[in-house]
């Protein structure tokens, strides 16, 4: 398969250089007509603050922007800001307690009003409101204030030295929303503002024309966009739904669509499609990890809504997944290399870490998981007292059977992985019931749905997650005790498996005041290892996210450190 692999690496904060893009294609805005994009997981909202799902973040990135973005090489580039602030240029204070950005002159919202510091001040207040359930709250971790600084300056002050201050308003997951549009949407009212959530006013290259949840979005070019020659496309259809195979065919075989995302298909399937000669498969490696989450709370369906999968310390713990011996045995039983061979090919690598990259942060302490050890897994369970006392093939202890409900999204590769893992677990005496849920529902943000990955009404669930940018500080705060989803947060929160350890929380605080890069790397590895050795997460595959585009589409520079669509303003049609 002609996969072009874009390997991305970390870059020191002092080395940030504005990137210059010369696509060799210019002209009037809208000159290339229609662009068709298919994301087979359909977005449920255009407000990335109300959903942690990648599909929502990527769709919103056509409209909402941030001060800086990360390009295809993981380099931070100024976006709505004039430059990247550093200690050297005076933008970051010597004591690392503040960063001051300067907005580009003349940037306007698509309604013609000016982007000002007030919009950033409001965005901070919106996401940090205690009743908002903001899915991107971790990006504002440690921010004590956001204020105007002169005509176009925005000063962000931290409650302690912030060695890597490029989190708030940086990357696709932390964009700026318009104060005038969202002013009445603070706190618990945030999900109720349907018009704003489905059609946010932005500064990006496109504006929402029509949004149909879990179906299709249509965009038109933003007439007020700051570059008069961009975007090249006059309109975009962003189709959701279906499955990965249909999405791949629609680009690689029929060219009905121009770009298809997240083509998690068997390698031989993609190769056969690519032979049609109409499109190209591209994979970008960043930090995406397909992993199992082991619920640390009791998700028994007989529990009421105030208790089911709700973290209450030790009072509502899972009956056996809080035993590290069980999680260790489940991990040892898995043949990760075979999962990669069957389901990912050149688009995946076995991993034992939830934080696989950049190299500075990648631990080697857990590499034993790279070798399947069924007999060792059985011995671990034996030693922990999990044995089959009734001869039904499933181990038990104190009347509790080792049997799990294992769920994921509907996807051919994931169903193949489920079947493999179920078989391996059965060989060591662990029973499994498999369940798959439509991806638009599973990754949706509806607090009333029982089937979202955040609500986690199962024992084990599987999906991929990652972080934007090159520094994992904000990502590692995903497993703070305070970021556990619950009814009080409208089931928003990144700590999906409900892991809670005060020692881990303390390490995140230490990283937040550590400036030496090597020391930051050591702390990140320590946090990764704590989660891995709790076995609340079992990593499987370091994914090189495969997407595809037609051969008549130019300017695509796929990034796994930001939205894949980060530079869509530069895309254009190649003449036949």
């Amino acid at each position: 398969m002609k996969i072009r692999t874009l390997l991305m690496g970390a870059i020191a904060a002092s080395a940030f250089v504005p990137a210059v893009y010369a696509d060799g294609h210019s002209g009037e805005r809208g000159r290339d007509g229609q662009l068709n994009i298919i994301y087979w997981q359909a977005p449920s909202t255009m407000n990335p603050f109300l959903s942690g799902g990648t599909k929502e973040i990527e769709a919103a990135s056509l409209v909402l922007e941030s001060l800086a973005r990360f390009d295809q090489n993981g380099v931070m580039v100024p976006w709505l800001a004039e430059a990247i602030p550093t200690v050297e240029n005076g933008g970051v204070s010597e004591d690392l307690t503040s960063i001051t950005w300067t907005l580009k002159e003349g940037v306007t919202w698509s309604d013609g009003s000016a982007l000002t510091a007030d919009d950033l001040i409001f965005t901070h207040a919106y996401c940090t409101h205690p009743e908002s359930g903001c899915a991107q709250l971790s990006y504002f971790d440690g921010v004590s204030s956001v204020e105007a600084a002169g005509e176009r300056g925005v000063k962000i002050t931290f409650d302690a030295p912030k060695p890597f201050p490029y989190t708030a308003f940086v990357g696709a997951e932390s964009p700026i929303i318009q104060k005038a549009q969202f002013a009445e949407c603070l706190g618990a009212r945030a999900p109720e503002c349907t018009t704003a959530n489905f059609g946010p006013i932005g500064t990006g290259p496109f504006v929402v024309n029509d949004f149909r949840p879990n179906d299709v979005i249509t965009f038109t070019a933003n007439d007020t966009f700051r570059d008069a020659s961009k975007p090249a496309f006059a309109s975009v259809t962003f189709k959701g739904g279906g499955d990965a195979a249909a999405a791949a065919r629609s680009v690689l075989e029929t060219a009905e669509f121009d770009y298809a995302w997240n083509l998690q298909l068997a390698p031989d399937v993609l190769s056969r499609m690519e032979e049609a000669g109409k499109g190209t498969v591209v994979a970008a490696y960043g930090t995406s990890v397909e992993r199992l989450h082991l619920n640390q709370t009791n998700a028994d369906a007989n529990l009421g809504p105030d208790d089911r999968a709700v973290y209450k310390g030790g009072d509502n713990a899972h009956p056996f997944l809080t035993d590290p011996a069980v999680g260790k045995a489940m991990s040892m039983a898995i043949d990760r290399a075979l999962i990669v061979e069957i389901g990912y090919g050149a688009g995946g690598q076995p991993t034992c870490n939830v934080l696989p990259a950049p190299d500075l942060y990648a631990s080697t302490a857990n590499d034993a998981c790279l070798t399947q050890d069924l007999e060792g897994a059985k011995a671990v369970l034996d030693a922990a007292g999990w044995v089959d006392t009734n001869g039904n093939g499933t181990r038990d202890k104190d009347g509790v059977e080792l049997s799990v409900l294992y769920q994921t999204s509907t996807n051919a590769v994931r169903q193949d992985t489920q079947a493999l893992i179920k078989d391996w677990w059965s060989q060591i005496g662990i029973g499994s019931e498999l369940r798959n849920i439509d991806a638009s529902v599973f990754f949706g943000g509806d607090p009333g749905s029982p089937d979202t990955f955040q609500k986690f009404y199962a024992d084990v669930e599987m999906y991929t997650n990652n972080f934007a940018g090159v520094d994992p500080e904000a990502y590692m705060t995903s497993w703070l005790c305070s970021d556990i989803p619950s009814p009080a947060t409208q089931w928003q929160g990144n700590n999906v498996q409900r892991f809670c350890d005060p020692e881990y929380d303390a390490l995140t605080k230490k990283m937040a005041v550590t400036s030496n890069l090597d020391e930051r790397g050591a702390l990140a590895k320590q946090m990764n290892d704590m989660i891995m050795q709790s076995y609340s997460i079992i990593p499987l595959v370091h994914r090189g996210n495969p997407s595809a585009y037609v051969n008549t589409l130019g300017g695509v520079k796929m990034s796994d450190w930001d939205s894949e669509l980060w530079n869509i303003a530069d895309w254009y049609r190649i003449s036949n």
Side-chain angles (χ1 to χ4, degrees):
M1 178 164 42
K2 303 178 297 181
I3 292 187
R4 297 187 316 188
T5 303
L6 308 177
L7 296 177
M8 306 170 184
I11 183 168
S14 60
F16 292 136
V17 178
V20 177
Y21 303 109
D23 57 25
H25 182 82
S26 60
E28 294 183 358
R29 177 180 295 139
R31 58 194 172 274
D32 288 336
Q34 175 72 19
L35 175 69
N36 295 315
I37 297 174
I38 185 164
Y39 272 48
W40 55 272
Q41 294 176 13
S44 60
T45 180
M46 281 289 290
N47 185 345
F49 291 121
L50 297 185
S51 175
T54 302
K55 56 195 172 66
E56 283 81 19
I57 293 165
E58 304 243 334
S61 72
L62 275 69
V63 174
L64 299 175
E65 299 182 303
S66 46
L67 294 173
R69 304 291 292 273
F70 295 95
D71 72 5
Q72 74 276 17
N73 297 312
V75 177
M76 189 189 303
V77 293
W79 213 251
L80 295 179
E82 286 190 344
I84 302 297
T86 64
V87 173
E88 291 76 13
N89 65 24
V92 177
S93 64
E94 292 284 349
D95 63 2
L96 308 179
T97 60
S98 68
I99 181 172
T100 301
W101 298 82
T102 300
L103 299 175
K104 284 182 177 178
E105 189 171 4
V107 175
T108 65
W109 296 99
S110 59
D111 64 1
S113 62
L115 170 71
T116 70
D118 284 345
D119 295 303
L120 284 82
I121 295 168
F122 173 79
T123 301
H124 169 249
Y126 176 91
C127 188
T128 59
H129 192 288
E131 297 178 1
S132 72
C134 181
Q136 312 302 339
L137 184 60
S138 63
Y139 285 87
F140 295 96
D141 185 51
V143 175
S144 60
S145 67
V146 179
E147 57 189 325
E151 183 180 355
R152 288 184 286 118
V154 180
K155 181 179 181 181
I156 302 171
T157 302
F158 305 102
D159 55 19
K162 191 81 166 177
F164 194 90
Y166 312 103
T167 52
F169 310 116
V170 176
E173 296 180 5
S174 188
I176 303 162
I177 57 175
Q178 189 190 55
K179 177 181 178 180
Q181 184 182 31
F182 284 89
E184 304 301 320
C185 304
L186 288 170
R189 292 200 59 194
E192 301 171 3
C193 293
T194 303
T195 300
N197 294 333
F198 288 0
I201 295 169
T203 57
F206 294 97
V207 299
V208 179
N209 184 48
D210 183 49
F211 179 86
R212 300 178 188 177
N214 302 315
D215 186 9
V216 65
I217 315 167
T218 56
F219 301 88
T220 53
N222 177 4
D223 289 335
T224 70
F225 191 59
R226 53 193 173 275
D227 188 327
S229 67
K230 299 178 182 179
F233 291 99
S235 56
V236 178
T237 296
F238 193 111
K239 175 62 179 171
D243 55 43
R249 283 194 297 270
S250 71
V251 171
L252 298 172
E253 293 184 346
T254 69
E256 176 186 359
F257 284 84
D258 297 300
Y259 190 90
W261 163 85
N262 192 24
L263 302 181
Q264 197 178 50
L265 296 167
D268 61 319
V269 173
L270 282 177
S271 294
R272 288 195 300 271
M273 291 183 184
E274 201 171 20
E275 289 173 359
K278 294 186 177 181
T280 300
V281 177
V282 58
Y285 277 91
T287 59
S288 294
V289 173
E290 183 84 353
R291 81 284 296 274
L292 302 175
H293 285 248
L294 275 57
N295 201 333
Q296 303 296 284
T297 61
N298 193 342
D300 191 329
N302 294 317
L303 295 174
D306 294 331
D307 296 304
R308 188 180 184 189
V310 176
Y311 179 75
K312 297 183 177 182
D315 294 337
N316 196 37
H318 194 280
F320 55 84
L321 290 179
T322 49
D323 181 351
V326 175
K328 182 177 182 179
M330 294 170 81
S331 178
M332 293 171 69
I334 296 170
D335 186 343
R336 290 164 173 80
L338 185 58
I339 291 175
V340 169
E341 179 184 341
I342 292 175
Y344 296 86
Q349 304 166 344
T351 186
C352 301
N353 297 313
V354 75
L355 177 60
D359 289 345
L360 175 65
Y361 306 107
S363 172
T364 58
N366 312 295
D367 285 357
C369 94
L370 296 175
T371 301
Q372 183 187 43
D373 187 0
L374 291 169
E375 294 307 313
K378 293 175 186 177
V380 167
L381 291 173
D382 287 341
W386 293 98
V387 295
D388 182 8
T389 63
N390 55 18
N392 67 352
T394 300
R395 293 174 183 261
D396 59 89
K397 180 179 177 181
D398 299 329
V400 177
E401 296 264 320
L402 280 188
S403 185
V404 298
L405 173 59
Y406 170 15
Q407 69 180 21
T408 187
S409 61
T410 304
N411 172 293
V413 172
R414 287 194 169 129
Q415 271 67 82
D416 287 344
T417 301
Q418 279 185 304
L420 288 169
I421 291 177
K422 177 178 181 176
D423 178 62
W424 292 325
W425 285 348
S426 71
Q427 293 182 50
I428 64 170
I430 297 177
S432 307
E433 176 188 345
L434 304 184
R435 181 174 185 240
N436 65 82
I437 302 166
D438 182 89
S440 297
V441 176
F442 185 65
F443 294 112
D446 182 0
S449 172
D451 297 323
T452 64
F453 76 100
Q454 301 102 321
K455 192 162 282 188
F456 202 172
Y457 278 178
D459 303 298
V460 178
E461 65 183 8
M462 179 173 67
Y463 60 90
T464 289
N465 204 355
N466 62 5
F467 66 90
V470 296
D471 185 88
E473 181 182 327
Y475 179 62
M476 300 312 285
T477 65
S478 297
W479 296 288
L480 293 172
C481 298
S482 59
D483 208 19
I484 294 175
S486 71
T489 65
Q490 301 181 66
W491 295 104
Q492 294 296 327
N494 293 309
N495 191 348
V496 172
Q497 82 270 26
R498 283 70 159 155
F499 166 85
C500 183
D501 188 333
E503 292 185 15
Y504 182 92
D505 287 12
L507 288 175
T508 66
K509 293 178 181 178
K510 186 175 181 180
M511 189 175 187
V513 297
T514 300
S515 59
N516 181 274
L517 283 177
D518 289 335
E519 292 177 9
R520 290 173 69 79
L523 286 168
K525 291 176 184 178
Q526 188 177 353
M527 285 185 278
N528 172 86
D529 294 346
M530 284 184 70
I531 299 171
M532 297 306 90
Q533 291 157 24
S534 75
Y535 295 98
S536 61
I537 292 180
I538 298 176
L540 301 173
V541 180
H542 182 193
R543 287 183 56 190
N545 291 334
S547 294
Y549 58 89
V550 292
N551 294 332
T552 59
L553 182 62
V556 176
K557 297 178 180 179
M558 184 180 172
S559 173
D560 203 51
W561 302 106
D562 206 289
S563 165
E564 283 190 22
L565 311 177
W566 72 282
N567 77 323
I568 194 169
D570 296 331
W571 293 10
Y572 59 92
R573 185 70 66 196
I574 298 172
S575 300
N576 291 323

